[in-house]
Amino acid sequence: MTSATRRRADAERNIEAILDAALDRLGRDPSAGMTEIAKAAGVGRVTLYGHFPSREALVDTLFDRSLADADAVLGAVDIDAGRADEALARLVRSSWRVLDRQRTVLAVALRVLGPERVRDRHAAVFARLERLLRRGREEGAFSAAAPPGWQATAVYSLMHAAAQEVDEGRLDAAQAAETLVWTILGALRGGPAGTGR
């Protein structure tokens, strides 16, 4: 192994350690500073700032990693097979807890990066869900009373809310997935009185 290869491997390990420490520290305290994160990662401030010149750059990279993880989990579910409501139920059951891990990163990203940048970066994740919701509307499984973008936002909000309820002991973890599926499908199938599906 050459010294350049060794330095590259060390740098990659440091970056992963910093991102893991940032996720942990920011999860405990969204205002955690760079010095605290460096200490938790076992690196010096010079190393931390060498990879991430600002807190914004660190949060930006952490948010990208978080989105890539969520996208991989969501992408593993075949949402084109079967009826749309069945596909959505599979998606929710397989991914609601994984998406919850993004909750902390999302909260910090909203504060540091701003809501517009956060929403723009979610575009690919939301596009996949909106495509499924549109298919469900065409099949008559979901109400057309609200725009698909709003329905997608509601689905993700309910998934995050379920995880928080489990964490705070108000929802049984063993029943959470089915409760969540029932709630989401009920919301999507319903609609104001007098509207069609």
Side-chain angles (χ1 to χ4, degrees):
M1 178 184 286
T2 68
S3 61
T5 303
R6 198 168 19 257
R7 280 194 305 272
R8 229 181 354 265
D10 287 346
E12 288 172 15
R13 273 193 301 277
N14 285 339
I15 290 169
E16 286 305 307
I18 291 165
L19 291 172
D20 289 343
L23 181 61
D24 178 64
R25 299 313 308 160
L26 292 169
R28 296 170 196 240
D29 176 12
S31 63
M34 295 290 271
T35 301
E36 185 180 345
I37 291 168
K39 184 176 179 182
V43 301
R45 286 180 47 127
V46 171
T47 300
L48 176 74
Y49 280 104
H51 294 298
F52 304 102
S54 67
R55 190 166 190 271
E56 182 177 345
L58 175 59
V59 170
D60 198 49
T61 303
L62 186 61
F63 189 52
D64 276 346
R65 184 174 82 161
S66 170
L67 286 174
D69 290 347
D71 196 49
V73 170
L74 295 173
V77 178
D78 183 2
I79 61 170
D80 296 316
R83 294 190 337 240
D85 54 352
E86 293 171 349
L88 181 60
R90 284 195 309 275
L91 183 71
V92 169
R93 286 184 187 109
S94 69
S95 60
W96 75 276
R97 250 327 199 176
V98 174
L99 290 178
D100 174 56
R101 290 199 292 268
Q102 319 313 320
R103 188 165 32 116
T104 297
V105 178
L106 177 62
V108 173
L110 284 167
R111 287 171 56 182
V112 175
L113 306 176
E116 192 168 314
R117 276 174 71 187
V118 167
R119 179 66 188 200
D120 288 346
R121 303 278 271 291
H122 271 99
V125 174
F126 273 92
R128 179 182 292 125
L129 180 56
E130 284 182 35
R131 182 168 51 92
L132 175 58
L133 294 172
R134 287 180 199 283
R135 181 162 70 87
R137 291 156 72 105
E138 290 168 7
E139 293 173 3
F142 304 144
S143 170
W150 169 248
Q151 289 175 325
T153 297
V155 169
Y156 280 111
S157 297
L158 284 168
M159 291 170 86
H160 288 301
Q164 187 169 355
E165 290 294 292
V166 168
D167 291 346
E168 294 176 7
R170 292 188 296 264
L171 180 60
D172 182 351
Q175 299 172 350
E178 291 312 309
T179 300
L180 187 54
V181 167
W182 175 83
T183 303
I184 289 172
L185 292 179
L188 292 172
R189 287 177 176 143
T195 62
R197 281 174 35 170

